[in-house]
Amino acid sequence: MINKKEIVNQIRSHKQNANLNFKLKDDAQRFTRELFATLFNFPNDLDEDLDRLERLFEDLVELACWELDKKCSKVWDEYVSELPEILRKLNLDAKAIYENDPAAETIEEVYLAYPGFYAIAIYRLSNALYKKGFPIVPRLMTEYAHHVTGVDINPGATIGEHFFMDHATGIVIGETALIKDHVKLYQGVTLGALSVSKKLQATKRHPTIENHVTIYANATILGGDTVIGEHSLIGGNVWLTKSVPPFSLVSHKPEILIRELEKK
């Protein structure tokens, strides 16, 4: 017969983190969804929506701010004042997608159906919280977008205006990546680190992408000292660990072998 009490005691003895509460994850996802809807749903009662968001944010403060020196309750007023500027940037992102993708028939389609737009929207909304030092919630927000879209953008990355991700799925952008204005990324692009050593946590580990760069599908660009010069084109499947000057065309030339199969 199972000794339920003994099993409970054993499980309890292995629980190590008193602050871990998965309600925080659920609440962060709800906050993320409602924040996105507040900015883009039309018509809606903005006064009522912002009040509801503030209440949701207060719940996040209770769950996430277990460190006494974190003044999380004071963040909301500063954060909500940044929403108009975030929305301005996101409208430029949507415009960039619409203007660069022939498959986009209306701008409404971009807002409603494009995973790249949803991913950049949640990144921008989480990045503002990340820069204020609000704990864990920004990462939960972008991980929710990662789950929904297949795009993994760390909330600490820095991304400029008119950002375009075509198809988007599989894109990875690391914490210290710097992406400037009018950059276009295609599916499967990785902007990553050369090393994942923990001792490098406080250093720039991810590349810098200058203005008007286009990076095609499945290209991998690694390293904090790697800079892709402005107006460069990085071809598909390219692997880069060093900088390239402005106006560069970087391509990968695979070797394709064809042989005849034995006839049976």
Side-chain angles (χ1 to χ4, degrees):
M1 182 176 180
I2 296 175
N3 188 333
K4 182 179 178 181
K5 184 176 180 180
E6 180 61 25
I7 293 172
V8 168
N9 288 336
Q10 289 181 20
I11 293 174
R12 186 176 288 121
S13 70
H14 289 295
K15 285 181 176 285
Q16 299 178 0
N17 193 327
N19 298 314
L20 190 59
N21 186 337
F22 277 84
K23 185 177 185 298
L24 173 60
K25 186 172 183 176
D26 294 337
D27 287 359
Q29 291 179 1
R30 180 184 174 190
F31 176 75
T32 301
R33 290 192 300 269
E34 298 211 13
L35 186 56
F36 182 87
T38 295
L39 291 187
F40 295 107
N41 203 24
F42 190 93
N44 60 340
D45 189 332
L46 281 171
D47 287 332
E48 182 178 321
D49 286 351
L50 289 176
D51 288 343
R52 184 171 63 255
L53 283 170
E54 184 174 9
R55 293 192 294 271
L56 291 173
F57 191 81
E58 290 171 354
D59 292 340
L60 295 177
V61 169
E62 290 295 321
L63 291 167
C65 295
W66 51 76
E67 297 179 30
L68 296 178
D69 62 337
K70 294 285 187 182
K71 307 300 181 183
C72 298
S73 60
K74 299 180 179 180
V75 168
W76 175 252
D77 288 344
E78 297 176 5
Y79 180 67
V80 77
S81 68
E82 294 185 23
L83 293 181
E85 174 62 10
I86 294 172
L87 180 55
R88 183 192 71 82
K89 290 182 178 180
L90 288 172
N91 287 332
L92 292 178
D93 296 326
K95 182 180 179 183
I97 294 172
Y98 177 68
E99 291 179 346
N100 283 285
D101 186 357
E105 296 185 359
T106 65
I107 192 71
E108 290 81 7
E109 182 181 355
V110 172
Y111 288 106
L112 289 168
Y114 272 62
F117 179 75
Y118 191 78
I120 188 63
I122 304 310
Y123 154 76
R124 293 204 189 280
L125 291 166
S126 65
N127 176 255
L129 280 179
Y130 175 93
K131 289 190 290 189
K132 297 182 187 307
F134 196 89
I136 204 169
V137 169
R139 187 59 186 270
L140 291 174
M141 292 171 70
T142 54
E143 281 304 309
Y144 174 66
H146 182 195
H147 171 75
V148 172
T149 67
V151 179
D152 184 2
I153 308 177
N154 189 287
T158 302
I159 300 178
E161 298 187 356
H162 295 269
F163 185 53
F164 170 54
M165 292 186 288
D166 192 24
H167 298 290
T169 304
I171 288 175
V172 177
I173 301 174
E175 180 185 24
T176 62
L178 170 58
I179 300 173
K180 297 190 178 180
D181 298 336
H182 296 276
V183 169
K184 294 188 282 188
L185 304 184
Y186 287 75
Q187 66 270 21
V189 167
T190 296
L191 304 180
L194 274 170
S195 173
V196 293
S197 173
K198 195 69 174 178
K199 66 182 180 181
L200 298 176
Q201 185 173 18
T203 64
K204 188 178 186 309
R205 308 180 303 280
H206 306 93
T208 295
I209 312 299
E210 298 283 357
N211 296 327
H212 296 279
V213 168
T214 298
I215 306 174
Y216 285 100
N218 300 314
T220 298
I221 303 174
L222 306 178
D225 295 327
T226 303
V227 179
I228 306 302
E230 63 181 8
H231 293 277
S232 290
L233 295 177
I234 309 301
N237 297 306
V238 162
W239 176 282
L240 274 177
T241 59
K242 61 182 181 180
S243 299
V244 300
F247 294 92
S248 293
L249 173 60
V250 182
S251 60
H252 170 69
K253 185 181 292 185
E255 182 181 7
I256 300 175
L257 302 176
I258 302 175
R259 63 184 180 86
E260 186 176 352
L261 295 174
E262 292 183 5
K263 296 179 181 179
K264 295 183 179 180

